[in-house]
Amino acid sequence: MKKTILLFVLSTFYFHSGWSQNTKIPNAEIDKKVSELLSKMSIEEKIGQMTQMTVTSFEATGKPGVFDMEKLREGIQKYAIGSVLNVPNPGAPSLKRWNEVIATIQKEANKTRLKIPVLYGIDAIHGSSYTAGATLFPQQIGIAATFNTEIARKGAEISAYETRAASIPWVFSPDLDMPRNPAWSRIWESFGEDAYLSSQMGAAMVNGFEGNDVGSKYNVASCMKHYIGYGSTTTGKDRTPSIIPERVLRQFDLTIYQAAIQAGAKSVMVSSGEINGTPVHASKHLITDILKNELGFQGVVVTDWKDIIYLHTRHKVAETNRDAVRIAVMAGIDMSMVPEDYTFYTDLLDLVAKGEVPMSRIDDAVSRILRMKFELNLFENPVSNAKDYPKFGSQEFIDIAYNAAAESITLLKNNAAILPLNKSEKILVTGPTANSMKTLNGGWSYNWQGENSDTYAADKMTILEALQNKIGTENVLYTPGADLANFDDAAIDKAVALAQKASKIILCLGEKNYTETPGDISNLYLSPSQVKLALALSKVNKPIILVLNEGRPRLISDFEDKMEAVIQCYLAGNEGGRALAEILYGDVNPSGRLPYNYPRYPNSLEKYNRKYTESLGDEEQNNDAKYEKSYSPQFEFGTGLSYTTFAYSNLKIDKTTITHSEDVTVSVTVTNTGKVTGKESVLLYLSDVYASITPEVKALKRFQKISLDPNESKTLTFTLHPKDLQFVNNDLKWISEKGTFKIQIGNQIQEFLLQ
């Protein structure tokens, strides 16, 4: 059977059907409402709108989770705060509790002179992850590994539904950071190392969150983060400096945000880092000149946690907190995540009174905030009705999260087709990540660092429990074997002894749960205790299947050659254990692909789209010396095996010579040449053979995931536009230059000439 599919240039998005939506208020009407309300506001009320406080600031002393109503009244009545964020103690409230919290806040706001509702924001980054019973998806790096924008869109749509069910209308997601150092602790919050993949996934999530009408009771406002260059620290440590030429920022990082803005993102959170010595929160060039003026971003620009304060205390570019407020607001900040005191409010009030910050800047910021509140329909419906959300935590949603996990899990190695396993064989399951929901979910899960996943997700299956459920407890031997950090020779000896009784070993290694600075590391290798366990088990002479649960690619080159199979689970979420078990036994055919290069050595961290000088090996400038190859990743970007095989053929382009204004249409046929149905991510790479700015070896320009039955073929058609051939030159202009371009899909290559 042969099918032909037309692949559109941009991912096709669908908004949910079957859920009633409110009538969208026209922009002109909203603008009129904003203007009228702004004209009635005092300077104190305006600055209050720009002030965001953490909900825990209003809790009674010694009574976590209980409002001190005097503190709340002070915040809303005296300081007129416009926004609240974060989760009340002790964390992850139920839907009922969330609605009580929001209702209390909005009731107090309704007592103010102008009755402006409070805008509540939350870190719902892989589901409504601060709500008990919500559906948790793989973290973003796993979503990227699916190479399926529909999975990204649908996951965000469900996250929006379940977040609005808690009366929260604003989520701090998607993460559009482009990490350049694999040690960075927030890689798993990103879509990996490729700008095009990130832009497509980011736009899909924005569309899923906001839908056709962000004011619907089933949608939320998205917040792109962290603008910009946050993932490119030279040290690999969180919130440390970056050095990035603007040419590079524009060619890669900025394109990701541009795609999300075009998709309609309502807000953006600014990076906590600094670029070339200027903190992003202090950069008028990046925030106002580029983001607001050049890209035309009309939404709200919010700081990250305490980041105006940090201009004074950490970055040392402001001599006082007052200076920090002036610098940030004049740079283009609209809302300050202060978030624990009223220093921003009092300092900004003084700055305006003394003419150091003009009213025009205040009015611009407040107009943006009010517009988002009107767009979210908060003036009409500030609190949700739980009866409107019957699908919250439903099996329907869980099944979609399971499918996302199943499509994300990536088979990197499968020597002698050791996988799938035979259900009748006895296995040893060992390793510190085998029996933990914390290591399946990672950070931002029920609380900041994800410490409570084993409690809140107690009804979900760890890897061990999923395997026991799959083949019976009697066929599964288990011992932890090692701690993530500490050596325990007795535990290793026990694992080695049990391995003698098993046919095969499932070795589960990885990382602790973490995010942000607590996740900083100084060693990219897996912890020594885990390496020691792997090496000890390798001497038993039993096949080992290495299962990785990790937020970033921890080096495994010390023992990878002794593993028969390697599976990357990333942080697969609450359904990850179940999905992995199905893959290990062949009931699901793996289809994930790496969204980053998996490095082999700590001093060889090249990206897949490297420059040619990063790939030197046998063709060095001196033929009388022996060189170690510069480019030798453990696994390359896009790696992902299947239990079937795919053949590529008949790559065609519609013209071999084009002008600067012409499109190129590319088609290729993909055939399932194996014996089982499988999904294949078809990746189109483009290479500019010669250019005045040294070209990349290859760059991803299109992708599409398809499913093929045995012996089935599909012909895919892609369209490349003139912009796809361009790069940013030293004058910061997008240009293309005449010459030869190469297209590669699978093992198929074609060239064309740009005149």
Side-chain angles (χ1 to χ4, degrees), residues 183-186 188-189 230 236-240 272 310 314 444 448-449 512-522 552:
W184 190 48
S185 61
R186 307 191 76 166
W188 54 267
E189 296 181 55
Y230 185 40
K237 304 291 179 67
D238 186 44
R239 289 176 165 85
T240 57
S272 300
Y310 291 152
R314 287 184 178 178
W444 299 119
W448 179 38
Q449 293 296 309
K512 67 175 184 178
N513 45 289
Y514 63 86
T515 189
E516 300 190 59
T517 307
D520 282 349
I521 55 174
S522 298
R552 55 197 153 197

Side-chain angles (χ1 to χ4, degrees), residues 63-82:
K63 297 180 179 180
V66 177
F67 275 126
D68 181 328
M69 293 307 298
E70 284 304 314
K71 290 181 180 179
L72 186 62
R73 284 189 200 99
E74 179 185 50
I76 294 177
Q77 301 289 345
K78 179 179 178 181
Y79 293 101
I81 62 165

Side-chain angles (χ1 to χ4, degrees), residues 13 47 95 138 144 291 362 504 514 598 640 662 683 717:
F13 303 135
I47 291 175
L95 272 188
L291 179 65
I362 300 299
K504 295 181 176 67
Y514 63 86
Y598 201 118
E662 289 183 286
L683 311 183
T717 300

